[in-house]
Amino acid sequence: MTGRRSTSAVSARDVKREDEQVTFKVSRTLGFGHCDPAGIAYFPSYFDIMVEVMEEIFAALGSPWPTMMGERRIGVPTVKLDVDFTAPSRHGDRLDFAVRVARLGRSSLELHYRVTTRGRPVWTARQVIVAISLDTQRAVPWPDDLRAALAAHLETADAHDLAP
Ligand SMILES: CC(C)(COP(=O)(O)OP(=O)(O)OC[C@H]1O[C@@H](n2cnc3c(N)ncnc32)[C@H](O)[C@@H]1OP(=O)(O)O)[C@@H](O)C(=O)NCCC(=O)NCCSC(=O)c1cc(O)c2ccccc2c1O
């Protein structure tokens, strides 16, 4: 992700944490290519943007994907995604993502997304991703360094580190 992308409002190093340092804040501008002919967000575009946001979060956690995937051979496919769309967003809107680490398993991770534009809720999502070996395509435990970084961001209220 580079600062030259038209959809990028912040770079990876600008990912911010708030609320006792458990929420990642990332913003993206909804571009022309993300919208239908009426200028309303086309929902698959949200998922492309969501992956960009994930990539920024992993970079902020010290695990940039080019290294994680290319050298460590770890991928993070999505196995569950539950989304509620509550209001449309439009071409040019800034989408503000607040992302929480809700649950950390042996190889799974649940992330909760709250997306707003101008303070208005637009969509929320609960996503489960799994660390896999890109060589075997099977789940692997989170590496110790990444587990420690993720555990440090677990929500305080109802989150659990479920490592055995
Ligand atoms: C991912 C799998 C290979 C896992 O199967 P496996 O048999 O190896 O492991 P387990 O079944 O034991 O599960 C490990 C772990 O995950 C939890 N889990 C599994 N499924 C679910 C589920 N549906 N809901 C919730 N949790 C689930 C399970 O409980 C275990 O939890 P622990 O806490 O004990 O660790 C296999 O499931 C698989 O191949 N699934 C298909 C994935 C897929 O095709 N997804 C959609 C498209 S791929 C994709 O979106 C994607 C792929 C990438 O490679 C990416 C890489 C980088 C960034 C993004 C990527 C991306 O978006």
Side-chain angles (χ1 to χ4, degrees):
M1 185 145 322
T2 75
R4 297 174 65 85
R5 291 181 68 120
S6 62
T7 55
S8 181
V10 293
S11 68
R13 66 179 175 277
D14 295 324
V15 171
K16 293 182 177 63
R17 300 180 304 175
E18 62 167 22
D19 300 340
E20 298 176 6
Q21 300 191 330
V22 296
T23 302
F24 291 94
K25 305 283 282 183
V26 185
S27 296
R28 284 287 183 282
T29 299
L30 197 71
F32 172 76
H34 296 132
C35 298
D36 70 8
I40 305 229
Y42 176 56
F43 82 87
S45 302
Y46 283 150
F47 300 144
D48 287 334
I49 296 171
M50 176 187 251
V51 173
E52 291 183 7
V53 169
M54 284 171 63
E55 182 164 7
E56 287 208 9
I57 290 172
F58 273 78
L61 289 168
S63 192
W65 280 1
T67 306
M68 188 179 89
M69 296 176 191
E71 296 174 19
R72 305 181 82 174
R73 306 292 297 152
I74 294 170
V76 283
T78 296
V79 293
K80 187 176 181 64
L81 186 58
D82 183 9
V83 187
D84 289 302
F85 301 106
T86 52
S89 64
R90 293 182 170 76
H91 184 193
D93 282 349
R94 193 183 78 176
L95 301 176
D96 296 317
F97 285 73
V99 186
R100 294 174 180 270
V101 177
R103 181 180 176 278
L104 180 59
R106 174 181 175 272
S107 53
S108 67
L109 174 70
E110 183 168 336
L111 297 171
H112 290 182
Y113 296 75
R114 183 170 184 272
V115 184
T116 58
T117 184
R118 293 183 296 278
R120 183 183 62 155
V122 175
W123 54 277
T124 58
R126 293 175 173 236
Q127 177 191 36
V128 179
I129 62 174
V130 178
I132 63 163
S133 159
L134 290 174
D135 297 320
T136 66
Q137 299 293 318
R138 300 304 301 270
V140 293
W142 292 107
D144 289 345
D145 59 328
L146 194 44
R147 165 170 290 285
L150 289 166
H153 294 80
L154 274 168
E155 283 184 276
T156 51
D158 60 354
H160 306 282
D161 182 343
L162 299 177

